[in-house]
Every structure is written in C-alpha cells, then in structure tokens.
Amino acid sequence: MVSQKEKNYTCAACFAAFHTKQELKMHGSVHSDERPHLCCFCSSSFKQKTALDQHLRLHTGIKPYVCEDCNRSFTSKQKMQVHHARIHAIMKSGGNPRDLLPDDVKQETLDILETWTGPERR
C-alpha cells in the first residue's frame, strides 16, 4: 500500500494544510496585502514570484508550454490544459470546437480557429 505524505504544516489564518514548510510560507502571501514582486516592464506587482514569472512571459513573448496535438504554445501550463480540454477533447469525441463560440463571433476568430483544427472540421 502506498502511503500519502501527511500535511503537517497548517496555516494559522485559514487552517489550510500543507506538506512542507515552504508550501505554507508561499501560501502565507494570500493573507497579506504585500506585493513584493515587481514587473520591470510595467507597474504590475505580485504576491508570489511564480505569478510574476508567468506575467513576464506576456512581455517577453516566451511560451514554454506547447500543445502536443497542434503545437500551439502558451504562457502557462494551465492555459495549455484549458486549450486542450476545450479544443482537442471535443474534437476527439467527434464534436466541433466551433460549437463553443457564440453565434456573433467574428470571421477573423473562425479563421484563427481553422488554423488549429483544419478546414475539414468546418
């Protein structure tokens, strides 16, 4: 039987539990108004360094997360996963991703979507 690591570190403010002291320390910033991580390109500031790192990708154009199905790239793993669930999971089940779009969507958006899915899905 595989045992799960216990969450021995608890936040005194909200009682959320964590596996490590580092995770608890990172969580602590959600209870503070302090935003020590500053963007060097604009006036944005962030509570956590990971949020700043993701934000900086908007300025630099770096998109390290690549969809394995269509090679589209994203600034975050979460955005790639949402893309995959919305587009490719629907296509694999026989659906059409265009069904996700509102009726009044612009033709330009449909053209972009076609580059991801191919004209045969139209």
Side-chain angles (χ1 to χ4, degrees):
M1 175 181 254
V2 177
S3 64
Q4 293 184 348
K5 188 176 177 183
E6 290 186 31
K7 295 181 176 181
N8 293 326
Y9 300 90
T10 304
C11 175
C14 69
F15 305 106
F18 301 92
H19 295 290
T20 67
K21 197 181 284 190
Q22 178 64 21
E23 287 175 333
L24 174 60
K25 184 179 177 185
M26 285 177 56
H27 165 77
S29 66
V30 302
H31 300 295
S32 167
D33 290 333
E34 188 177 341
R35 301 172 75 86
H37 305 284
L38 307 174
C39 176
C40 59
F41 294 99
C42 69
S43 60
S44 295
S45 61
F46 301 88
K47 291 181 177 187
Q48 295 183 342
K49 185 178 181 319
T50 55
L52 170 62
D53 292 342
Q54 182 176 333
H55 169 80
L56 286 172
R57 293 180 193 137
L58 298 174
H59 294 294
T60 63
I62 295 172
K63 296 181 178 182
Y65 302 94
V66 180
C67 175
E68 61 188 36
D69 290 322
C70 67
N71 292 325
R72 185 170 179 214
S73 56
F74 299 87
T75 57
S76 74
K77 185 176 182 179
Q78 181 183 15
K79 288 179 181 180
M80 181 188 65
Q81 289 170 332
V82 168
H83 156 81
H84 196 271
R86 283 188 161 165
I87 303 297
H88 301 295
I90 289 171
M91 290 174 60
K92 287 177 183 173
S93 67
N96 189 326
R98 283 180 180 69
D99 296 339
L100 296 173
L101 300 171
D103 292 334
D104 61 343
V105 71
K106 294 179 181 177
Q107 182 62 41
E108 178 182 355
T109 304
L110 290 173
D111 293 342
I112 291 169
L113 186 57
E114 190 170 280
T115 65
W116 301 340
T117 61
E120 68 282 354
R121 300 290 298 180
R122 192 166 217 184

